[in-house]
Amino acid sequence: MPPKPRHRPAPKNAVREADPVRASAPVTAALSLPDRDLLAAFLGRVAGGPSATAAADAERALAVLGGFRGLVSASQDAFCALPGMGPAGFARLHTALEIARRALAEEMRHGPALERPEHVQDYLKLWLLDRGHEVFCVLFLDGRHRLIVAEELFRGTLTQTAVYPREVVRRALQVNAAALVFVHNHPSGAAAPSAADEQLTLELRRALALVDVRVLDHCIVAGPRVYSFAAHGLI
């Protein structure tokens, strides 16, 4: 008699067809997944337990943190305190965010950064997403307005940041920038510029004009909104 076929056990890390969250999450289907299943699929076994537990943990995390925006801006302590999340899940999430930031930065290096303002704004929102305090950042651009480097120059408190024009000028000369875009955030969520913001922009423009460096814009990131000085005729 011919030998009976032997069935090899599935590898421990194999995806089971009975696992609806993992099995239904190929790239082509990801856009159609409900929020909780998308998060559970992204975190994979980081969420722990069978798929039903992973989905329940994901749903709880989204509810507690206020959706995906709250999830990605949550501190590590807040994220890891939720059932099924943990340090590995936090690291995976922020690795994905950093990949997205770098992809947008690469695009700005290969063409004029302000040619597609929506891409610049997407980059800025990702860059300053999880900041609970004010920071002042600068996009340093070359003569064709391509990104040379994006840097955080000053860090402050919840409501204000001290900015020193001489340091901005010094760094612009170091990287041989021809133009700059200023960026700072308002953790309070109010996107409109203050009188101090407008005065600072004027002082910076004057200082940079002395070394022939143009200021193209000053953007304020307030949660999902970005206020552009240039778009509002303030530059």
Side-chain angles (χ1 to χ4, degrees):
M1 293 179 63
K4 293 182 179 181
R6 299 178 63 184
H7 297 284
R8 295 181 180 178
K12 291 182 178 180
N13 60 350
V15 176
R16 295 175 298 167
E17 290 301 322
D19 186 338
V21 174
R22 298 295 299 277
S24 64
V27 174
T28 54
L31 294 178
S32 64
L33 286 174
D35 288 353
R36 72 168 198 171
D37 290 351
L38 181 63
L39 177 58
F42 173 74
L43 293 175
R45 289 303 176 187
V46 172
S51 60
T53 301
D57 287 344
E59 186 170 36
R60 185 181 300 109
L62 291 170
V64 170
L65 296 175
F68 281 115
R69 173 158 186 83
L71 183 85
V72 298
S73 59
S75 68
Q76 183 169 358
D77 288 344
F79 183 95
C80 295
L82 294 166
M85 297 298 107
F90 186 82
R92 181 178 295 189
L93 179 63
H94 282 267
T95 297
L97 289 172
E98 184 59 27
I99 290 171
R101 289 186 190 105
R102 294 187 187 191
L104 289 168
E106 283 180 3
E107 186 169 335
M108 291 191 293
R109 289 190 182 98
H110 292 132
L114 300 184
E115 195 171 76
R116 303 189 69 176
E118 68 277 9
H119 287 191
V120 177
Q121 293 189 9
D122 287 343
Y123 172 76
L124 298 180
K125 286 186 284 188
L126 276 174
W127 190 14
L128 302 182
L129 184 66
D130 55 353
R131 309 301 178 92
H133 49 269
E134 276 204 12
V135 294
F136 185 89
C137 308
V138 181
L139 305 183
F140 296 93
L141 310 176
D142 66 13
R144 296 173 61 185
H145 298 170
R146 295 173 301 186
L147 182 66
I148 300 171
V149 66
E151 293 183 346
E152 176 187 316
L153 294 189
F154 307 103
R155 179 175 297 196
T157 64
L158 178 65
T159 58
Q160 62 182 0
T161 302
V163 177
Y164 302 98
R166 66 179 179 275
E167 293 299 319
V168 178
V169 172
R170 181 182 64 82
R171 186 60 180 146
L173 294 174
Q174 282 181 339
V175 301
N176 198 29
L180 308 182
V181 173
F182 304 134
V183 188
H184 80 276
N185 62 324
H186 282 177
S188 65
S194 65
D197 292 334
E198 295 185 25
Q199 181 61 33
L200 172 63
T201 305
L202 180 61
E203 291 175 5
L204 287 168
R205 289 180 68 191
R206 287 172 175 168
L208 288 158
L210 297 175
V211 292
D212 199 27
V213 176
R214 294 182 60 202
V215 175
L216 302 182
D217 204 352
H218 185 166
C219 297
I220 300 173
V221 179
R225 295 174 295 165
V226 177
Y227 182 99
S228 164
F229 276 53
H232 287 81
L234 298 178
I235 288 185

